[in-house]
Amino acid sequence: MESKRASFEGALEALGVTVSSTAESELEAAVTEAVTEPAVGIALDETVGDEAFSLTETPVTVDPTPVALREATTGVTGAELGIGDYGSLVLSMTEAASELVSLFVERHVAILHEEDIQPDMDAAVAEVDERFNETGGSAIIATGPSATADMGALVKGAHGPREVHVIIVEEGV
Amino acid sequence: MATADEIRELMRTEGAAVAENTQGFNAGRYDSVADLKDYEELKQAARSIKEDAIEELPDLLDQLTETVEANGGTVYIADDAADANDYIRNVVDERAADRVVKSKSMTSEEIEVNDALEADGVDVVETDLGEWVLQVADEAPSHIVAPAIHKSRESIAELFNERFDPEEPLETAEELTRFARKKLGEQIIDAEVGITGANFITADTGTMALVTSEGNARKTVAATDTHVAVAGVEKVIPTVGDLHPFIELIGRSGTGQDITSYVSLLTPPVDTPVVDFTDDETPLSAFESDRDFHLVLIDNGRLEMRDDDHLRETLYCIRCSACSNSCANFQSVGGHAFGGETYSGGIATGWEAGIEGLDVAEEFNDLCTGCTRCVNACPVGIDIPWINTVVRDRINRDKDAPGEWLVDGLTPDEEDDGAPLQKRFFGNFETVAKLGSATAPVSNWLAGTTLSRRAMDQILGIDPRRDLPTFERETLVDWAASRDSQVAEPERRAVLYPDLYTNHVQVERGKAAVKVLESLGVDVVVPPAPSSGRAPLSQGMIATATDHAERVTETLGPHIEGGRDVVVIEPSDHAMFTREYERLIDEAAFTDIAENSYEVFEYVFGLLDNGASIDSLTTVEGAEIAYHSHCQQRTLGLEAHTVAVLEDCGYDVVTSDVECCGMAGSFGYKSDYYELSMDVGDRLRTQLRDDGVQDRPVVASGTSCLEQIDALLERQPRHPIELLAT
């Protein structure tokens, strides 16, 4: 059987979402490579509790002003889960404004721990169900770039990002 | 009711865009659900969640109200549109909002909240690109998911260039999208209130699911500080976990996408900070998340629908649009003809009857022909044709009865009042057919005269461009009575049901069926039997159809009891016995006839599978043939049997894949619908004229399909059973 990660990456490719992978220690380099400047992001290290996620050695402006957000090309956020069979990301909505950073940009770069890839939608909804019932909250199941067919043909990049890139942080590397 | 002129005009102006888009969605649905290994299980799970939720609705509403209030939001349950609008106007007024941005919501269209707010001087902006196009054009949605489906790229470009006069004229879809994104983006960040719909709301956590692709719903919520969600009361389901089957099914069933770009699972008020988008100094995280949330749940007739045994199923609808896209008539005319005040497509009859009333449902209800192609497409298994039939019956009963002198003798039906003359004529076609055979060939000559065709057009609305059926003097029953069984030691015994058309019009296919069954070792009888009730049912004459059903089961019952199988040539009658009768007669009688009835090729397939020899039939070596199955036959999963038997007999078979031939019983005969019927038929004609198909003889299972193909092609089609007889 295909591994969760392989099916996830296959699904992302079909959606036109690019993928790179990295060890924790090389994360900042991977982020630097993945962003198109100007880039903004949210403070991942506070959520993860790991300095490797501080983004200080990257071109990313962490916790930007609203004007900087609107001028940015790339937004960098974490992703709570990946969903193997759909290539979806589960994005949480935090007080740090991850929703704004992943949405009001042309290019969204999502950082995902390999162990957070769920095999399928059933498992992912079960995870979300558990979290919502324990601590409340909201989430977006985001699959590929924003899109519309309302103008007579399929166009990527409607109100939300036109490009999505996923950085998979590998386990035990 | 849409007239022939209105339908013609819509087909001319919107037909091409509607056809291309709906057929694309429909093809996408087939592909997308085929990838889902547990599709049927997911549909069953979705159905059962909805059934239970509507059953428990009052309790769920109480639970949801408690949860949302505990989360810091407000719940308002509005009795009707005016009540909902008053509440929303008040929220907007208290926020002192100049602008309200909206993401797409059919329920907000239903209550016409835009008009209410605009009357107060509020700037209301639709942010879904399709809805925005319609707002700019001042047009109504033609589809519940893709509202501007009737507009081509060219017409949108023309609209934008004329209205906004951009520096460079807009042309491509990419340019149009960029332009709209920029213009709407500026308006979204400047708005105070965001209105969204909700596809589902869970009572356990107060979480609402919003299924979108553009990202405008996310922005509508994130960029404003006051969120008003408008939804029908039927949208409540028990738990977040219950969302699972719907998330997998809704996009696939609707537009054929495995999943839309965004499924927002919002438990408002959300934690995202409310920012001032012009601020150049304060970091995002320093803004407060000070948000108001109002959930406006709308009754507007729904709780009465819940108490209505026939309309209740409508409340299971998840507004995916599968019934629109899979509907042959909708593919030709779209929601501007096949729709009411708000909703469109097959399920709209239930919504509009329940919300607006029978008069609105009547405007488009006749466009459902009962072909049943939407039934398997519906992710919650709603019997949409039945809802249309029930509403048609109610509409009929709302009318004054036509003059008795007009229908006397021709309409020995069970309708106490109501059904208009045209419906009663078609509903009582059995009487016409009996008279037609008894007086043939004179009846055929008389019916064909210009004078009678003119009278039929004027009095009955039968289009003079249609050929009328030619009645045979000797019926199938008469023929069978005049001969002895050819089988000495039968393997099985069967009663061949003499459906109306086989008995009176297409008698040859009946004779062929008898011969085929006999050569496979079956003892066959063809007793006189009442017609199935399909004709009155399709006219919404349920009492008459029920009377037929009871008499058919009384007639066939003793044969079944005596060990005979029931074999049916006409697929629409077979579908009556195995599907529709469940609604008309008691359970035991239904089970008895349903379990013992077989479509003729299903039966032949079974005989061959159980050892009968193919050598008893006429076989060929690789002869090419084109086969058009029947809509109701396909819904019952019985197309494959005919294909398999024909292939076993040596044929090289290609099959059509249009949803319906367009004739649909009496539909294509009606003057108002003749041109629509031919437009639908044109898709079948195109397939039958394709390279590699154009020279193949055509076979078709349904009477209507055979008549339609006869009108569409030079090649005269036959029933496939006629190929097998020796």
Side-chain angles (χ1 to χ4, degrees):
Chain A
M1 211 182 103
E2 201 179 23
S3 74
K4 291 183 290 188
R5 176 164 170 191
S7 92
F8 181 61
E9 290 195 30
L12 288 175
E13 190 185 351
L15 293 163
V17 174
T18 50
V19 190
S20 56
S21 57
T22 180
E24 256 177 46
S25 54
E26 303 295 322
L27 177 64
E28 291 185 323
V31 170
T32 303
E33 195 177 330
V35 301
T36 306
E37 293 180 57
V40 297
I42 62 156
L44 298 170
D45 53 336
E46 288 168 24
T47 7
V48 180
D50 186 332
E51 264 187 34
F53 291 78
S54 71
L55 305 179
T56 43
E57 301 298 313
T58 71
V60 178
T61 306
V62 173
D63 202 7
T65 67
V67 168
L69 168 67
R70 287 173 64 194
E71 286 167 356
T73 301
T74 306
V76 181
T77 73
E80 194 178 335
L81 300 173
I83 305 176
D85 54 354
Y86 282 84
S88 310
L89 298 167
V90 176
L91 309 174
S92 51
M93 292 173 108
T94 64
E95 287 164 1
S98 55
E99 173 71 349
L100 302 178
V101 171
S102 65
L103 183 61
F104 283 77
V105 289
E106 288 276 309
R107 179 175 171 83
H108 176 214
V109 173
I111 298 168
L112 176 72
H113 283 277
E114 185 175 7
E115 66 260 33
D116 290 331
I117 300 173
Q118 296 290 328
D120 53 32
M121 186 60 75
D122 202 2
V125 173
E127 280 277 318
V128 171
D129 187 12
E130 200 181 315
R131 171 161 81 76
F132 281 16
N133 273 286
E134 279 170 12
T135 59
S138 301
I140 307 287
I141 302 174
T143 312
S146 84
T148 184
D150 285 344
M151 296 294 170
L154 183 70
V155 176
K156 286 182 180 176
H159 288 278
R162 172 159 43 173
E163 297 168 3
V164 178
H165 179 88
V166 177
I167 299 175
I168 298 175
V169 181
E170 291 175 336
E171 294 167 52
V173 180
Chain B
M1 195 177 81
T3 63
D5 287 344
E6 288 162 357
I7 289 174
R8 186 186 308 119
E9 182 61 11
L10 276 175
M11 289 196 298
R12 190 182 68 77
T13 53
E14 302 181 352
V18 167
E20 188 188 335
N21 288 317
T22 49
Q23 288 176 55
F25 292 159
N26 198 38
R29 172 177 60 83
Y30 282 113
D31 289 346
S32 180
V33 302
D35 294 339
L36 215 46
K37 59 181 185 304
D38 47 358
Y39 176 49
E40 292 302 327
E41 288 79 6
L42 286 168
K43 279 165 65 177
Q44 275 163 18
R47 165 85 189 189
S48 111
I49 290 165
K50 275 290 187 183
E51 272 181 10
D52 293 349
I54 296 303
E55 180 69 31
E56 305 294 327
L57 188 57
D59 290 343
L60 287 175
L61 288 172
D62 287 344
Q63 188 194 350
L64 176 66
T65 304
E66 222 170 274
T67 319
V68 170
E69 286 172 357
N71 291 343
T74 311
V75 176
Y76 186 74
I77 298 185
D79 291 337
D80 54 25
D83 190 12
N85 287 335
D86 284 347
Y87 181 85
I88 297 165
R89 286 168 59 193
N90 194 41
V91 169
V92 172
D93 185 49
E94 290 205 348
R95 176 60 187 83
D98 296 322
R99 179 178 293 138
V100 171
V101 284
K102 279 183 70 199
S103 69
K104 196 180 109 53
S105 145
M106 289 309 293
T107 311
S108 74
E109 300 264 357
E110 175 188 323
I111 62 172
E112 298 179 336
V113 68
N114 293 19
D115 293 346
L117 291 172
E118 281 162 2
D120 292 344
V122 178
D123 182 23
V124 183
V125 180
E126 295 285 354
T127 62
D128 172 84
L129 298 190
E131 285 286 349
W132 188 58
V133 166
L134 297 185
Q135 193 178 28
V136 173
D138 194 22
E139 289 178 24
S142 59
H143 187 272
I144 59 172
V145 170
I149 197 175
H150 60 285
K151 295 196 84 72
S152 64
R153 178 182 56 78
E154 291 81 359
S155 68
I156 298 169
E158 199 179 317
L159 174 74
F160 282 11
N161 289 330
E162 192 183 311
R163 181 64 56 88
F164 302 110
D165 196 20
E167 282 175 26
E168 287 288 316
L170 303 166
E171 192 185 331
T172 65
E174 179 89 21
E175 287 166 3
L176 292 164
T177 302
R178 295 264 120 195
F179 177 80
R181 172 195 167 110
K182 187 162 183 295
K183 201 153 185 75
L184 289 170
E186 288 159 7
Q187 294 179 313
I188 292 171
I189 59 173
D190 200 27
E192 294 88 4
V193 177
I195 297 182
T196 69
N199 294 83
F200 308 94
I201 312 167
T202 71
D204 59 345
T205 58
T207 302
M208 50 184 273
L210 273 173
V211 179
T212 69
S213 269
E214 295 179 358
N216 60 311
R218 290 176 67 188
K219 281 189 168 172
T220 296
V221 173
T224 56
D225 62 20
T226 303
H227 177 192
V228 180
V230 177
V233 288
E234 83 283 3
K235 295 293 175 65
V236 187
I237 56 173
T239 69
V240 174
D242 290 332
L243 289 168
H244 168 244
F246 300 107
I247 291 172
E248 298 223 47
L249 289 170
I250 192 165
R252 296 180 193 265
S253 301
T255 53
Q257 295 164 277
D258 294 352
I259 188 168
T260 59
S261 300
Y262 304 121
V263 178
S264 298
L265 304 173
L266 308 178
T267 313
V270 298
D271 291 335
T272 306
V274 178
V275 308
D276 170 1
F277 282 91
T278 61
D279 188 317
D280 199 10
E281 285 170 7
T282 319
L284 296 176
S285 67
F287 288 91
E288 292 293 312
S289 158
D290 186 11
R291 292 170 175 276
D292 276 342
F293 173 61
H294 300 266
L295 177 59
V296 182
L297 295 171
I298 291 165
D299 174 358
N300 213 21
R302 288 168 173 79
L303 295 178
E304 272 185 47
M305 292 165 74
R306 180 173 172 268
D307 291 333
D308 183 321
D309 283 342
H310 298 292
L311 291 188
R312 184 184 305 123
E313 266 197 302
T314 308
L315 299 173
Y316 307 160
C317 169
I318 62 169
R319 312 258 175 93
C320 70
S321 80
C323 59
S324 297
N325 306 328
S326 60
C327 173
N329 280 347
F330 192 96
Q331 289 176 0
S332 281
V333 296
H336 287 160
F338 200 157
E341 292 288 323
T342 312
Y343 302 99
S344 54
I347 194 62
T349 293
W351 284 120
E352 297 286 346
I355 289 169
E356 303 288 343
L358 289 177
D359 52 334
V360 174
E362 184 184 1
E363 290 168 13
F364 62 94
N365 163 260
D366 272 355
L367 290 171
C368 170
T369 64
C371 82
T372 70
R373 294 305 300 146
C374 54
V375 171
N376 295 347
C378 176
V380 285
I382 301 174
D383 192 346
I384 295 164
W386 177 251
I387 291 173
N388 277 277
T389 303
V390 168
V391 170
R392 192 167 301 156
D393 186 83
R394 291 178 185 177
I395 292 167
N396 289 344
R397 286 171 194 284
D398 247 15
K399 301 260 178 242
D400 293 333
E404 279 304 315
W405 61 273
L406 275 173
V407 290
D408 197 29
L410 271 184
T411 56
D413 56 36
E414 297 294 310
E415 307 303 304
D416 299 333
D417 47 26
L421 191 55
Q422 184 194 56
K423 288 196 161 69
R424 294 184 79 179
F425 173 79
F426 283 117
N428 288 288
F429 193 70
E430 181 173 16
T431 317
V432 179
K434 279 183 183 165
L435 202 64
S437 277
T439 58
V442 178
S443 54
N444 299 319
W445 300 335
L446 284 179
T449 66
T450 316
L451 194 65
S452 12
R453 291 313 300 261
R454 198 179 301 153
M456 281 188 231
D457 186 20
Q458 282 167 3
I459 300 174
L460 297 170
I462 297 175
D463 199 284
R465 288 166 287 188
R466 276 283 177 207
D467 288 336
L468 296 177
T470 307
F471 298 108
E472 297 289 338
R473 181 86 190 201
E474 186 188 45
T475 65
L476 180 66
V477 170
D478 292 344
W479 173 81
S482 68
R483 64 194 285 280
D484 295 321
S485 172
Q486 316 287 306
V487 186
E489 289 173 20
E491 294 287 325
R492 291 191 79 92
R493 298 162 65 238
V495 47
L496 180 72
Y497 173 69
D499 67 81
L500 209 49
Y501 266 76
T502 306
N503 196 34
H504 292 278
V505 183
Q506 292 174 2
V507 178
E508 286 310 311
R509 74 180 190 187
K511 294 178 186 173
V514 171
K515 289 173 190 164
V516 166
L517 295 178
E518 286 181 345
S519 49
L520 294 170
V522 181
D523 177 70
V524 185
V525 293
V526 190
S531 66
S532 71
R534 169 62 71 188
L537 190 75
S538 73
Q539 308 303 319
M541 294 158 61
I542 296 175
T544 306
T546 303
D547 174 63
H548 282 251
E550 284 164 354
R551 289 189 286 118
V552 165
T553 47
E554 276 165 27
T555 307
L556 297 181
H559 291 283
I560 295 171
E561 210 169 302
R564 288 190 186 269
D565 307 311
V566 177
V567 178
V568 188
I569 297 173
E570 171 55 35
S572 64
D573 284 343
H574 174 258
M576 283 294 282
F577 296 175
T578 55
R579 203 184 107 80
E580 271 74 50
Y581 274 17
E582 188 172 11
R583 304 273 188 181
L584 306 178
I585 54 179
D586 68 67
E587 197 182 330
F590 168 68
T591 308
D592 198 34
I593 191 162
E595 285 184 355
N596 290 291
S597 293
Y598 304 86
E599 188 271 332
V600 62
F601 268 84
E602 178 190 19
Y603 197 65
V604 169
F605 179 89
L607 293 168
L608 293 172
D609 206 37
N610 282 289
S613 169
I614 194 99
D615 298 332
S616 328
L617 305 174
T618 300
T619 57
V620 293
E621 281 186 21
E624 295 187 328
I625 197 107
Y627 172 54
H628 171 69
S629 181
H630 179 274
C631 45
Q632 288 156 342
Q633 178 189 2
R634 287 178 66 201
T635 295
L636 293 170
L638 295 174
E639 176 181 17
H641 300 75
T642 304
V643 175
V645 171
L646 290 175
E647 285 178 347
D648 279 355
C649 289
Y651 286 96
D652 174 73
V653 187
V654 296
T655 56
S656 67
D657 66 1
V658 296
E659 295 294 2
C660 179
C661 70
M663 187 61 142
S666 62
F667 184 80
Y669 281 101
K670 296 180 177 174
S671 305
D672 278 332
Y673 304 127
Y674 169 78
E675 288 174 41
L676 169 55
S677 160
M678 292 305 281
D679 189 72
V680 171
D682 201 48
R683 295 195 279 274
L684 176 57
R685 173 175 22 212
T686 306
Q687 292 195 352
L688 293 174
R689 281 186 176 170
D690 255 1
D691 287 347
V693 186
Q694 58 187 352
D695 296 324
R696 291 172 178 243
V698 179
V699 288
S701 299
T703 300
S704 294
C705 322
L706 288 162
E707 290 178 341
Q708 178 78 318
I709 293 167
D710 202 18
L712 294 169
L713 299 178
E714 298 291 318
R715 284 167 284 170
Q716 207 171 14
R718 290 200 290 169
H719 190 283
I721 200 73
E722 295 179 56
L723 301 177
L724 270 52
T726 49

